[in-house]
Amino acid sequence: HHKALVSTCRGDFDNAISFVKTALQQQPGLAWAWYLKANAQACNGDKQGAQEALARAEAANDNLSFKEFAAVVNKTSATKAAAERRLAGLASLGLA
């Protein structure tokens, strides 16, 4: 999960997807990872896959909203650019 996060912050969405898939194989109930996957997929133009990942995030934790996710992303990102990369795909889905 952390490798996927670092890749996302760097804008390397292909590697982010690869790393997050591994994380989700080990912890399929990790809603944060599903949000990360949805963002990376949307950034790579896979809107359908991103929507499916969002549904999995909600199923994993229906108490974690996009608003809460985005607030944590904005608080924990080292730079504004990194936060933007962590949310850009989700924003393209109309979640922002």
Side-chain angles (χ1 to χ4, degrees):
H1 178 259
H2 290 274
K3 289 179 180 181
L5 180 58
V6 169
S7 294
T8 297
C9 290
R10 292 179 178 160
D12 183 358
F13 300 109
D14 290 330
N15 272 331
I17 292 167
S18 178
F19 287 129
V20 80
K21 283 180 180 179
T22 300
L24 288 166
Q25 287 172 346
Q26 296 171 7
Q27 293 186 355
L30 186 57
W32 292 90
W34 286 111
Y35 267 105
L36 187 58
K37 185 175 190 278
N39 181 69
Q41 286 178 296
C43 284
N44 274 355
D46 180 6
K47 304 277 184 175
Q48 181 178 344
Q51 291 290 354
E52 291 169 6
L54 283 175
R56 294 290 302 266
E58 186 174 301
N61 183 351
D62 60 359
N63 292 316
L64 178 61
S65 70
F66 170 74
K67 183 179 178 179
E68 292 166 326
F69 177 81
V72 171
V73 165
N74 285 315
K75 286 180 187 176
T76 61
S77 295
T79 65
K80 183 177 179 180
E84 289 171 355
R85 284 188 286 276
R86 291 175 69 186
L87 297 171
L90 298 170
S92 76
L93 298 173
L95 296 178

